[in-house]
Amino acid sequence: MENLSFVALGVALLLVLIWRWARKSGAAERASRPRALAGAELVYMEKLFRIKAPIRLVAKVDRGYRLPGGSLVLVELKIRRQDRPYLSDVIQLSAQRLAIEAQTGEVVEPYAFVSIPKSGRLGKVKSHRVLLLDAESVARIYERREAVLAGVVAPSYASSERACHGCALRPMCDRFAKTSR
């Protein structure tokens, strides 16, 4: 009988710990939301979407929130020194929008947020609202990428040298630049 009460006490303690962890996790997520989404419902978190048309695409959504009217707003979480969204963030979120709409038929708003933790301020996040590209623009970017990879179209450097530093296609641009001189 004594062993049974220890087991019951252990189960009760485990349930309390799980409940506290769930409350704490939910509070952290709510605190990191853009203010504009305070009343929205979190419906997607680290969710993968796959489509074959209009282009082949796999997109992993950091967070998707349902507004009271039923449409979705996407949020991309980034950790970086620069407290600003990049064009690559807009392209990534636009591809996510295309994938969600094509796979689920749900309406995704033409804007999203890029949320970046403030350096040195634990738990503080700054969210930047960005306008997304339409499906045709995403498809054109995809087709250009495929053409560059196939060697059909010449690659070109980004307008900012810093953007090229971490690019996986940089060696192709460097090779093309050497042969075209």
Side-chain angles (χ1 to χ4, degrees), residues 10-178:
V11 169
L13 181 60
L14 181 62
L15 289 173
V16 167
L17 290 173
I18 290 171
W19 176 77
R20 287 185 69 192
W21 174 82
R23 274 191 54 194
K24 195 174 195 177
S25 296
E29 182 278 317
R30 282 188 299 283
S32 71
R33 283 183 192 198
R35 228 176 268 156
L37 301 177
E41 174 191 5
L42 176 64
V43 291
Y44 297 124
M45 189 171 191
E46 298 295 323
K47 172 93 170 132
L48 208 60
F49 294 88
R50 299 172 196 268
I51 60 170
K52 293 182 180 176
I55 57 175
R56 292 183 70 87
L57 182 64
V58 177
K60 188 173 188 180
V61 173
D62 280 354
R63 292 187 183 155
Y65 294 90
R66 187 172 319 286
L67 296 174
S71 61
L72 299 173
V73 176
L74 302 177
V75 176
E76 184 67 25
L77 306 171
K78 295 292 184 184
I79 297 174
R80 59 170 67 124
R81 290 176 193 228
Q82 293 287 324
D83 183 18
R84 67 180 184 84
Y86 296 148
L87 178 58
S88 59
D89 300 329
V90 173
I91 294 168
Q92 181 179 4
L93 284 159
S94 300
Q96 292 172 7
R97 175 186 184 203
L98 177 62
I100 291 172
E101 288 182 338
Q103 182 178 325
T104 68
E106 294 185 89
V107 174
V108 180
E109 291 292 329
Y111 66 90
F113 292 92
V114 177
S115 294
I116 304 166
K118 291 183 179 180
S119 60
R121 305 208 43 208
L122 193 62
K124 299 294 182 185
V125 175
K126 182 165 183 189
S127 296
H128 303 270
R129 183 178 163 141
V130 296
L131 293 177
L132 300 179
L133 304 172
D134 60 25
E136 292 170 14
S137 298
V138 174
R140 280 196 305 274
I141 291 168
Y142 174 86
E143 289 162 3
R144 173 156 170 74
R145 178 186 178 274
E146 292 299 303
V148 167
L149 291 174
V152 176
V153 172
S156 59
Y157 290 111
S159 57
S160 163
E161 176 65 25
R162 289 181 63 193
C164 294
H165 286 293
C167 179
L169 301 179
R170 174 74 186 256
M172 291 180 75
C173 292
D174 291 342
R175 260 196 318 269
F176 180 75
K178 286 178 187 173

